[in-house]
Short mmCIF file of all heavy atoms in Angstrom, two decimals:
data_model
loop_
_atom_site.label_atom_id
_atom_site.label_comp_id
_atom_site.label_asym_id
_atom_site.label_seq_id
_atom_site.Cartn_x
_atom_site.Cartn_y
_atom_site.Cartn_z
N ASP A 1 46.45 157.13 61.47
CA ASP A 1 47.11 156.14 62.34
C ASP A 1 46.36 154.81 62.12
O ASP A 1 45.67 154.32 63.00
CB ASP A 1 47.01 156.60 63.79
CG ASP A 1 47.69 155.68 64.79
OD1 ASP A 1 48.64 154.97 64.41
OD2 ASP A 1 47.27 155.68 65.96
N PRO A 2 46.47 154.24 60.90
CA PRO A 2 45.63 153.09 60.54
C PRO A 2 45.83 151.85 61.40
O PRO A 2 44.88 151.09 61.62
CB PRO A 2 45.97 152.82 59.08
CG PRO A 2 47.32 153.44 58.87
CD PRO A 2 47.39 154.60 59.83
N LYS A 3 47.02 151.64 61.89
CA LYS A 3 47.27 150.46 62.72
C LYS A 3 47.19 150.78 64.20
O LYS A 3 47.51 149.96 65.05
CB LYS A 3 48.62 149.84 62.36
CG LYS A 3 48.62 149.31 60.94
CD LYS A 3 49.86 148.57 60.60
CE LYS A 3 49.75 148.07 59.17
NZ LYS A 3 50.91 147.34 58.73
N GLN A 4 46.81 151.99 64.53
CA GLN A 4 46.61 152.47 65.90
C GLN A 4 47.86 152.39 66.77
O GLN A 4 47.77 152.31 67.99
CB GLN A 4 45.45 151.72 66.56
CG GLN A 4 44.14 151.90 65.82
CD GLN A 4 43.02 151.10 66.41
OE1 GLN A 4 43.19 149.92 66.76
NE2 GLN A 4 41.87 151.72 66.53
N ALA A 5 49.03 152.45 66.16
CA ALA A 5 50.28 152.38 66.94
C ALA A 5 50.41 153.60 67.85
O ALA A 5 50.73 153.47 69.03
CB ALA A 5 51.47 152.27 66.00
N LEU A 6 50.17 154.78 67.30
CA LEU A 6 50.25 156.00 68.10
C LEU A 6 49.17 155.99 69.18
O LEU A 6 49.44 156.28 70.34
CB LEU A 6 50.11 157.24 67.21
CG LEU A 6 50.12 158.60 67.92
CD1 LEU A 6 51.48 158.86 68.57
CD2 LEU A 6 49.78 159.72 66.93
N ALA A 7 47.96 155.65 68.80
CA ALA A 7 46.83 155.63 69.75
C ALA A 7 47.10 154.65 70.89
O ALA A 7 46.86 154.96 72.05
CB ALA A 7 45.53 155.28 69.03
N ARG A 8 47.59 153.47 70.57
CA ARG A 8 47.87 152.47 71.62
C ARG A 8 48.92 152.99 72.59
O ARG A 8 48.77 152.89 73.80
CB ARG A 8 48.34 151.15 71.00
CG ARG A 8 47.25 150.15 70.73
CD ARG A 8 47.78 148.75 70.44
NE ARG A 8 48.84 148.70 69.45
CZ ARG A 8 48.63 148.69 68.14
NH1 ARG A 8 47.43 148.76 67.65
NH2 ARG A 8 49.65 148.63 67.31
N GLU A 9 50.01 153.53 72.03
CA GLU A 9 51.09 154.00 72.90
C GLU A 9 50.66 155.21 73.74
O GLU A 9 51.19 155.44 74.81
CB GLU A 9 52.33 154.33 72.08
CG GLU A 9 53.54 154.48 72.98
CD GLU A 9 54.84 154.32 72.26
OE1 GLU A 9 55.11 153.21 71.75
OE2 GLU A 9 55.58 155.30 72.20
N MET A 10 49.68 155.96 73.25
CA MET A 10 49.18 157.12 73.99
C MET A 10 47.98 156.75 74.88
O MET A 10 47.31 157.63 75.42
CB MET A 10 48.77 158.24 73.02
CG MET A 10 49.90 158.85 72.22
SD MET A 10 50.98 159.96 73.15
CE MET A 10 49.87 161.24 73.65
N ALA A 11 47.73 155.45 75.04
CA ALA A 11 46.67 154.94 75.92
C ALA A 11 45.29 155.50 75.56
O ALA A 11 44.53 155.90 76.43
CB ALA A 11 47.01 155.21 77.39
N VAL A 12 44.99 155.49 74.26
CA VAL A 12 43.68 155.92 73.80
C VAL A 12 42.74 154.72 73.88
O VAL A 12 42.90 153.76 73.17
CB VAL A 12 43.76 156.48 72.36
CG1 VAL A 12 42.38 156.76 71.80
CG2 VAL A 12 44.62 157.73 72.34
N LEU A 13 41.78 154.82 74.80
CA LEU A 13 40.85 153.73 75.05
C LEU A 13 39.42 154.19 74.79
O LEU A 13 38.58 154.18 75.68
CB LEU A 13 40.98 153.25 76.50
CG LEU A 13 42.38 152.81 76.93
CD1 LEU A 13 42.43 152.55 78.42
CD2 LEU A 13 42.81 151.59 76.14
N GLY A 14 39.15 154.60 73.61
CA GLY A 14 37.85 155.14 73.24
C GLY A 14 38.07 156.43 72.47
O GLY A 14 39.17 156.98 72.48
N LEU A 15 37.04 156.87 71.79
CA LEU A 15 37.15 158.07 70.97
C LEU A 15 35.97 158.99 71.24
O LEU A 15 34.89 158.50 71.55
CB LEU A 15 37.18 157.70 69.48
CG LEU A 15 38.38 156.88 69.02
CD1 LEU A 15 38.20 156.46 67.57
CD2 LEU A 15 39.68 157.65 69.20
N PRO A 16 36.15 160.26 71.09
CA PRO A 16 37.41 160.96 70.87
C PRO A 16 38.20 161.14 72.16
O PRO A 16 37.64 161.14 73.25
CB PRO A 16 36.96 162.33 70.35
CG PRO A 16 35.63 162.55 70.99
CD PRO A 16 35.00 161.19 71.09
N ILE A 17 39.49 161.26 71.99
CA ILE A 17 40.42 161.61 73.07
C ILE A 17 41.26 162.77 72.53
O ILE A 17 41.76 162.70 71.41
CB ILE A 17 41.37 160.45 73.44
CG1 ILE A 17 40.61 159.26 74.00
CG2 ILE A 17 42.47 160.92 74.38
CD1 ILE A 17 40.22 159.36 75.44
N THR A 18 41.40 163.81 73.33
CA THR A 18 42.20 164.95 72.92
C THR A 18 43.27 165.19 73.98
O THR A 18 42.96 165.25 75.17
CB THR A 18 41.32 166.20 72.73
OG1 THR A 18 40.26 165.88 71.83
CG2 THR A 18 42.14 167.35 72.16
N VAL A 19 44.52 165.30 73.53
CA VAL A 19 45.66 165.41 74.41
C VAL A 19 46.35 166.75 74.14
O VAL A 19 46.62 167.10 72.99
CB VAL A 19 46.65 164.25 74.17
CG1 VAL A 19 47.88 164.37 75.04
CG2 VAL A 19 45.96 162.90 74.39
N LEU A 20 46.63 167.49 75.21
CA LEU A 20 47.33 168.77 75.10
C LEU A 20 48.80 168.54 75.41
O LEU A 20 49.15 168.01 76.47
CB LEU A 20 46.71 169.78 76.07
CG LEU A 20 47.26 171.20 76.04
CD1 LEU A 20 47.14 171.83 74.66
CD2 LEU A 20 46.54 172.06 77.09
N LEU A 21 49.65 168.91 74.46
CA LEU A 21 51.10 168.73 74.59
C LEU A 21 51.77 170.10 74.73
O LEU A 21 51.41 171.04 74.03
CB LEU A 21 51.68 168.03 73.36
CG LEU A 21 51.08 166.67 72.99
CD1 LEU A 21 51.68 166.19 71.66
CD2 LEU A 21 51.31 165.65 74.08
N ASN A 22 52.75 170.18 75.63
CA ASN A 22 53.52 171.41 75.77
C ASN A 22 54.56 171.52 74.66
O ASN A 22 54.67 170.63 73.81
CB ASN A 22 54.14 171.51 77.18
CG ASN A 22 55.17 170.44 77.46
OD1 ASN A 22 55.66 169.75 76.58
ND2 ASN A 22 55.51 170.29 78.73
N ARG A 23 55.34 172.58 74.69
CA ARG A 23 56.34 172.82 73.63
C ARG A 23 57.43 171.74 73.59
O ARG A 23 58.08 171.56 72.57
CB ARG A 23 56.97 174.19 73.81
CG ARG A 23 56.00 175.32 73.56
CD ARG A 23 56.67 176.67 73.82
NE ARG A 23 55.74 177.76 73.77
CZ ARG A 23 55.33 178.37 72.67
NH1 ARG A 23 55.78 177.97 71.50
NH2 ARG A 23 54.48 179.37 72.73
N ALA A 24 57.63 171.05 74.70
CA ALA A 24 58.63 169.98 74.75
C ALA A 24 58.06 168.65 74.27
O ALA A 24 58.74 167.63 74.30
CB ALA A 24 59.17 169.83 76.17
N GLY A 25 56.79 168.66 73.83
CA GLY A 25 56.16 167.44 73.33
C GLY A 25 55.67 166.52 74.43
O GLY A 25 55.46 165.34 74.19
N GLN A 26 55.45 167.04 75.62
CA GLN A 26 54.98 166.24 76.75
C GLN A 26 53.48 166.48 76.97
O GLN A 26 52.99 167.59 76.81
CB GLN A 26 55.73 166.64 78.02
CG GLN A 26 57.22 166.44 77.94
CD GLN A 26 57.93 167.17 79.06
OE1 GLN A 26 57.66 168.34 79.33
NE2 GLN A 26 58.84 166.47 79.72
N GLU A 27 52.81 165.42 77.37
CA GLU A 27 51.38 165.53 77.66
C GLU A 27 51.18 166.26 78.98
O GLU A 27 51.73 165.88 80.01
CB GLU A 27 50.76 164.14 77.75
CG GLU A 27 49.28 164.17 78.07
CD GLU A 27 48.63 162.80 78.09
OE1 GLU A 27 49.12 161.87 77.39
OE2 GLU A 27 47.63 162.65 78.80
N ILE A 28 50.37 167.33 78.94
CA ILE A 28 50.09 168.08 80.16
C ILE A 28 48.62 168.01 80.55
O ILE A 28 48.27 168.33 81.69
CB ILE A 28 50.55 169.55 80.06
CG1 ILE A 28 49.89 170.27 78.89
CG2 ILE A 28 52.07 169.62 79.96
CD1 ILE A 28 50.15 171.77 78.88
N ALA A 29 47.76 167.58 79.62
CA ALA A 29 46.33 167.46 79.93
C ALA A 29 45.67 166.54 78.90
O ALA A 29 46.21 166.33 77.82
CB ALA A 29 45.67 168.83 79.93
N ARG A 30 44.50 166.01 79.29
CA ARG A 30 43.78 165.07 78.43
C ARG A 30 42.29 165.21 78.67
O ARG A 30 41.84 165.37 79.81
CB ARG A 30 44.24 163.65 78.76
CG ARG A 30 43.53 162.55 78.00
CD ARG A 30 44.07 161.19 78.39
NE ARG A 30 45.41 161.02 77.84
CZ ARG A 30 45.77 160.00 77.08
NH1 ARG A 30 44.93 159.04 76.79
NH2 ARG A 30 47.00 159.91 76.62
#
């Protein structure tokens, strides 16, 4: 994600950040 488009939209404000997604592609935990 070289331009951080995905990270920005997923509100990644520091590293590492790990996001758990359910089968519907929704964030359920972080």
